[in-house]
Amino acid sequence: MEVACLDLEGVLVPEIWIGVAEHTGIDALRATTRDVPDYDELMRQRLGLLEKHGLGMARIQQVIAGMAPLVGAEDFLDWLKARFQVIILSDTFYEFSHPLMRQLGFPALFCHRLEITEGRIIGYRLRQKDPKRQSVKALHSLNFRVIAAGDSYNDTTMLEEADAGILFRAPDTVAEAFPQYPSVHSYEELKQQFRLASERNLDE
Amino acid sequence: MEVACLDLEGVLVPEIWIGVAEHTGIDALRATTRDVPDYDELMRQRLGLLEKHGLGMARIQQVIAGMAPLVGAEDFLDWLKARFQVIILSDTFYEFSHPLMRQLGFPALFCHRLEITEGRIIGYRLRQKDPKRQSVKALHSLNFRVIAAGDSYNDTTMLEEADAGILFRAPDTVAEAFPQYPSVHSYEELKQQFRLASERNLDE
């Protein structure tokens, strides 16, 4: 009995903060966990920039609502859901991801929440420490086998804890730092890696 | 951060074994956990009946493929998925539920597997003991609040472990034995119970 755990940004949808940076012109918002591995440090930096530029929730949600899943992501997700139980493990926030999750048919998503007061993002609430690893552990406690795919540093504890880990469109630095995981770039290759990692024979 | 856990049969889809009983004319297959609370005893009885009548996997899958979700279930599930992370907790088997889950868009399902050899169902593999309670515990370990809804005896440990439990279309015997849970019969009432149980204000 197998669960597929997928990272969200970079795997199914674009990097949300990069999209916000592009639409607002605030270049410093382009930083991701690829650049700043310490997530709390990264988030304090981001919220400081929003505050400094007077950007509230409404404007950011407007930007995100104009984004779309990556080309091919919906077909890939349909393929995956027909063969595995799929849970998305992400370090994004429900308030940000909602319009993109809607376009994906709302698969189960484990992520975090923002603290919002009168339209201003005043902080964030992480669900727990090392949430992706903890989620894989929880699935193991339910006797599931877990196959996980992600693209970035914050996915590597999930990949490590999983029974099989796959890098998808990871930057060279990540792929080189974690040579133990197959590193692929197309959804067809990703399907093939899920097939190889599964204990069952999966039909095309 | 809240997860909605739903039973499958009786809540979103018809009782699968009753459907098989109706289509095959084997009345004894109508028994469910409502009648025989001990699940292993019930399953041994069911598999014995299939063997006795020479019914293989192909015939049963054919019957199940002709079934459909309960009227209103898809709309209810869409409503729920837009507001909670939804995980279906069921004592059915992936091999049985697949054609019905397809019609529901494959929400994440935690259930069991059958052991099949040359088209004959030779046994079953429960993922673990008390799986619905264990799933709620695992979600708690991830710091989720859990609101659960089910209809039968095998749901009551899930309801007990959850932060809020709801009975949906439960028989009177179950509703009377567990008066601590609100007992409702329509999807509109079920939505209302989820709203009441949620810590947030949920839009219509």
Side-chain angles (χ1 to χ4, degrees):
Chain A
M1 288 168 261
E2 295 176 316
V3 170
C5 289
L6 287 185
D7 179 34
L8 181 63
E9 295 173 75
V11 175
L12 295 175
V13 308
E15 295 288 343
I16 292 174
W17 285 99
I18 290 181
V20 174
E22 278 168 4
H23 284 78
T24 59
I26 306 169
D27 251 13
L29 283 178
R30 299 182 68 89
T32 72
T33 46
R34 293 181 184 182
D35 309 295
V36 185
D38 183 306
Y39 188 72
D40 190 59
E41 187 184 325
L42 178 65
M43 275 304 297
R44 282 199 306 269
Q45 181 179 310
R46 287 165 169 170
L47 295 186
L49 285 163
L50 295 183
E51 183 71 22
K52 183 178 153 193
H53 290 82
L55 286 166
M57 202 50 215
R59 174 80 182 108
I60 292 166
Q61 283 187 319
Q62 198 179 28
V63 168
I64 296 168
M67 294 169 70
L70 299 173
V71 175
E74 291 160 84
D75 286 346
F76 168 72
L77 189 59
D78 283 343
W79 181 91
L80 199 68
K81 286 195 299 181
R83 287 156 181 82
F84 300 90
Q85 306 315 305
V86 175
I87 296 182
I88 314 293
L89 303 182
S90 172
D91 279 328
T92 189
F93 301 92
Y94 288 115
E95 293 81 357
F96 281 167
S97 61
H98 202 265
L100 285 163
M101 294 306 285
R102 179 182 298 281
Q103 295 177 66
L104 294 171
F106 290 117
L109 167 67
F110 293 177
C111 67
H112 308 291
R113 280 184 85 174
L114 293 172
E115 291 170 358
I116 296 163
T117 297
E118 293 172 4
R120 280 177 56 230
I121 304 169
I122 56 165
Y124 66 98
R125 256 181 62 194
L126 297 187
R127 217 180 56 254
Q128 63 189 163
K129 282 221 168 197
D130 203 356
K132 299 197 186 205
R133 183 195 293 277
Q134 295 307 326
S135 294
V136 177
K137 281 189 176 181
L139 291 165
H140 278 160
S141 80
L142 303 178
N143 292 336
F144 283 110
R145 220 176 146 261
V146 177
I147 305 172
D151 72 332
S152 188
Y153 287 111
N154 70 327
D155 296 310
T156 54
T157 65
M158 166 180 82
L159 303 189
E160 185 182 86
E161 197 69 34
D163 301 277
I166 309 163
L167 287 170
F168 181 68
R169 296 184 184 166
D172 291 346
T173 48
V174 174
E176 281 159 21
F178 298 89
Q180 64 270 47
Y181 307 121
S183 177
V184 297
H185 288 81
S186 74
Y187 287 119
E188 279 310 312
E189 290 170 307
L190 187 54
K191 284 184 192 176
Q192 183 56 19
Q193 289 301 324
F194 270 99
R195 278 192 207 98
L196 288 170
S198 172
E199 283 181 333
R200 299 166 293 148
N201 278 327
L202 296 176
D203 307 332
E204 176 49 40
Chain B
M1 288 168 261
E2 294 176 316
V3 170
C5 289
L6 287 186
D7 179 34
L8 180 64
E9 295 173 73
V11 175
L12 295 175
V13 307
E15 295 288 343
I16 292 174
W17 285 99
I18 290 180
V20 174
E22 278 168 5
H23 284 76
T24 59
I26 307 170
D27 251 15
L29 283 177
R30 299 182 67 92
T32 71
T33 45
R34 293 181 184 182
D35 309 294
V36 184
D38 183 306
Y39 187 72
D40 189 59
E41 187 185 326
L42 178 65
M43 275 303 297
R44 281 198 307 271
Q45 179 180 311
R46 286 165 168 171
L47 295 186
L49 285 163
L50 295 182
E51 184 72 21
K52 183 178 153 191
H53 290 83
L55 286 165
M57 201 51 213
R59 175 79 183 109
I60 292 166
Q61 282 188 319
Q62 199 180 26
V63 169
I64 296 167
M67 295 168 69
L70 298 173
V71 175
E74 290 160 86
D75 286 346
F76 168 71
L77 188 60
D78 283 345
W79 180 90
L80 199 68
K81 286 194 300 182
R83 288 156 180 83
F84 299 90
Q85 306 314 308
V86 176
I87 297 183
I88 314 292
L89 304 182
S90 171
D91 279 327
T92 189
F93 301 93
Y94 288 114
E95 293 82 355
F96 281 167
S97 61
H98 202 265
L100 286 163
M101 295 305 286
R102 178 181 301 280
Q103 295 177 65
L104 293 171
F106 289 117
L109 168 67
F110 293 177
C111 65
H112 307 292
R113 278 184 87 174
L114 293 173
E115 291 170 356
I116 295 163
T117 298
E118 293 172 2
R120 280 177 57 229
I121 304 168
I122 57 165
Y124 65 98
R125 257 180 62 194
L126 296 187
R127 217 180 56 253
Q128 64 189 164
K129 281 218 167 198
D130 204 357
K132 299 197 186 204
R133 183 195 293 277
Q134 295 307 326
S135 295
V136 177
K137 281 189 176 179
L139 291 165
H140 278 160
S141 80
L142 303 178
N143 292 336
F144 282 111
R145 221 177 145 260
V146 177
I147 306 172
D151 73 332
S152 187
Y153 287 111
N154 70 326
D155 296 311
T156 54
T157 64
M158 165 180 83
L159 303 190
E160 186 182 85
E161 198 69 34
D163 300 278
I166 308 163
L167 287 170
F168 181 68
R169 296 185 185 167
D172 291 346
T173 48
V174 174
E176 281 159 21
F178 298 90
Q180 63 269 48
Y181 306 120
S183 178
V184 297
H185 289 82
S186 73
Y187 287 120
E188 278 311 312
E189 290 170 308
L190 187 54
K191 284 184 192 177
Q192 183 57 19
Q193 289 301 324
F194 270 98
R195 278 192 207 97
L196 288 170
S198 173
E199 282 181 332
R200 299 167 293 148
N201 279 327
L202 295 178
D203 308 332
E204 175 49 37

